[in-house]
Amino acid sequence: MKAAVMRANRAPLAIEDVRIDDPGPGEVLLRTVATGICHSDLHVIEGHLPVPPPCILGHEPAGIVEAVGAGVAGFAPGDHVIGCITAWCGVCKFCTEGRPYLCPTQFVGRPFGAKPRLSGPSGDGIGQFANLSSFAEKMLCPERALVKIRDDMPLDRASLIGCGVTTGLGAVLNTVRIPAGASVAVIGCGGVGLAAIQGARIVGAGRIIAVDAQPWKFDLARKLGATDCIDAKEGNPVAAVQQLTAGGVDFAFECIGLVPTVQQAVAMTGRGGTTVLVGVVPLTQLVPISAADLTLQEKKITGSYMGSNRFRFDMPKYVDFYLDGRLRLDEMISQRIGLDEVNEAFERMRKGESARQVIVFD
Ligand SMILES: NC(=O)c1ccc[n+]([C@@H]2O[C@H](COP(=O)([O-])OP(=O)(O)OC[C@H]3O[C@@H](n4cnc5c(N)ncnc54)[C@H](O)[C@@H]3O)[C@@H](O)[C@H]2O)c1
Ligand SMILES: [Zn+2]
Ligand SMILES: [Zn+2]
């Protein structure tokens, strides 16, 4: 099968012929129909997240089941599915307390010494990213990384739910559960931030302020629910948010992953408010913030990982949200491309020229 392989960091992905194994126990073989491109893939390419090459990236997929391995009861050939990086074990402390997205075994692949799921022409193993590796015509995944969805859901739009939409919507609906009427700022209007804006609209937030350095995104942000938009390059976005909200928002979502914008998110959070860190700051970087802001104004800061999901429960619900018109996914797709154009897509992402880009397979 054809796949885009990361052979080195900070280099273009190579389109190669890759071998994919047959499904083993508990595994499902899929035909990839579509995969969104998330900034976390770019973080890996840039070396900001430690995943060693060679590796096939891509973790926002939708596809159709082709074959299932021994013991797989929940999937059959022909099923339409979405894949998610937060596979769960079902027995650990986090799984049993209802937070399976924190399961520490989510990235454990086949047992040590087993045949690799993906390999090159000479049989050398190629790393699978987060049990998915969707920049490839086929995927071999643990069944616990997959959820079956309705057949009437278009799979290119379903792919967005695999990561960005679940992350942004879930930050609002699951991680902090913002109440109706609350004021919200979302810094960063990429796939994740636009989904957070939609989450805020869906729960009936009051003011929803979108902040981005690319003003062309504001028409889109408004269509998806933003009531106000602030150009981060024009003056100080913290002062602008404070002015719109008489001192700061109830909830600020940082959806970029940069040190200065994390600091801005804390600063634009009002007294008693909550800052939600969704963007991934490179692991080697620390963020200085004022501790006194937290003490004297009782601000709270929380991280939000993969929208605090229970994806077998959340994703079919988000599919329903799309099909009943509440979740707008058509507007979020700025480009549909072939696998061959994946490097150009990352270039557009670096320059801020895309909303969500989706690779569609024939
Ligand atoms: N927490 C999680 O579980 C999780 C899951 C998925 C993605 N992420 C992370 O979320 C972040 C966003 O992902 P994405 O795919 O939406 O990215 P993206 O590249 O599509 O969007 C980023 C947006 O930020 C804007 N931006 C960049 N610098 C800015 C600045 N200085 N001021 C204002 N706006 C600026 C860009 O114009 C763009 O609209 C990434 O760090 C990604 O790794 C986290
Ligand atoms: Zn992602
Ligand atoms: Zn577990």
Side-chain angles (χ1 to χ4, degrees):
M1 64 161 182
K2 204 161 69 154
V5 185
M6 179 181 76
R7 287 279 166 196
N9 290 113
R10 290 173 290 279
L13 304 183
I15 306 296
E16 295 182 14
D17 222 357
V18 169
R19 195 181 168 281
I20 189 160
D21 201 23
D22 297 325
E27 292 179 346
V28 176
L29 181 71
L30 305 177
R31 177 166 69 81
T32 318
V33 173
T35 176
I37 300 179
C38 172
H39 205 112
S40 301
D41 296 307
L42 185 54
H43 280 320
V44 175
I45 294 173
E46 305 285 1
H48 295 152
L49 285 174
V51 178
C55 175
I56 298 174
L57 299 175
H59 64 279
E60 197 175 85
I64 298 177
V65 174
E66 290 208 326
V68 301
V72 174
F75 296 92
D79 284 351
H80 291 198
V81 301
I82 298 176
C84 183
I85 69 173
T86 53
W88 77 99
C89 78
V91 294
C92 76
K93 170 190 161 203
F94 300 100
C95 285
T96 50
E97 75 171 11
R99 295 194 291 173
Y101 59 96
L102 294 179
C103 180
T105 67
Q106 61 190 262
F107 295 138
V108 174
R110 281 181 165 173
F112 189 70
K115 198 170 165 197
R117 290 190 182 130
L118 302 164
S119 50
S122 50
D124 47 319
I126 296 177
Q128 187 182 35
F129 182 45
N131 277 311
L132 296 172
S133 289
S134 58
F135 294 164
E137 290 171 326
K138 297 198 179 195
M139 297 166 56
L140 182 57
C141 309
E143 60 175 324
R144 285 181 175 179
L146 303 173
V147 56
K148 188 168 150 43
I149 57 163
R150 295 164 57 167
D151 286 350
D152 56 344
M153 177 67 188
L155 287 169
D156 55 349
R157 278 141 278 176
S159 71
L160 269 52
I161 294 174
C163 178
V165 164
T166 288
T167 298
L169 266 189
V172 174
L173 272 60
N174 296 333
T175 312
V176 289
R177 296 168 183 246
I178 71 173
S183 57
V184 172
V186 175
I187 311 183
C189 299
V192 173
L194 293 170
I197 288 170
Q198 298 213 55
R201 171 180 47 77
I202 288 167
V203 300
R207 228 160 179 155
I208 304 172
I209 306 168
V211 183
D212 204 286
Q214 298 283 341
W216 72 266
K217 296 204 160 172
F218 294 155
D219 274 353
L220 178 56
R222 281 202 182 85
K223 274 187 203 141
L224 300 182
T227 57
D228 303 85
C229 296
I230 292 173
D231 182 348
K233 287 183 307 210
E234 295 281 321
N236 176 355
V238 174
V241 168
Q242 285 170 336
Q243 207 197 352
L244 281 172
T245 53
V249 286
D250 298 320
F251 294 90
F253 295 85
E254 201 281 349
C255 299
I256 306 172
L258 296 173
V259 172
T261 47
V262 170
Q263 291 173 310
Q264 288 168 10
V266 177
M268 65 178 64
T269 302
R271 298 172 79 81
T274 303
T275 313
V276 187
L277 304 186
V278 184
V280 179
V281 176
L283 301 192
T284 50
Q285 296 178 14
L286 300 178
V287 186
I289 50 154
S290 159
D293 251 25
L294 306 197
T295 317
L296 303 181
Q297 299 186 42
E298 211 174 280
K299 293 186 185 181
K300 290 173 273 299
I301 303 182
T302 180
S304 176
Y305 177 58
M306 287 302 292
S308 309
N309 76 73
R310 289 147 298 156
F311 72 82
R312 287 252 176 115
F313 170 73
D314 291 321
M315 289 186 178
K317 187 173 64 180
Y318 299 159
V319 166
D320 289 343
F321 281 5
Y322 170 75
L323 290 170
D324 71 20
R326 263 178 290 186
L327 175 61
R328 299 171 193 153
L329 299 177
D330 300 61
E331 295 84 344
M332 283 180 64
I333 300 180
S334 53
Q335 284 92 3
R336 283 181 178 77
I337 59 170
L339 183 65
D340 298 350
E341 298 160 81
V342 64
N343 292 308
E344 288 81 358
F346 281 117
E347 214 33 60
R348 279 191 289 271
M349 181 178 270
R350 284 189 184 95
K351 293 185 191 149
E353 291 173 357
S354 55
R356 210 41 149 198
Q357 307 183 79
V358 179
I359 296 173
V360 182
F361 296 83
D362 298 330

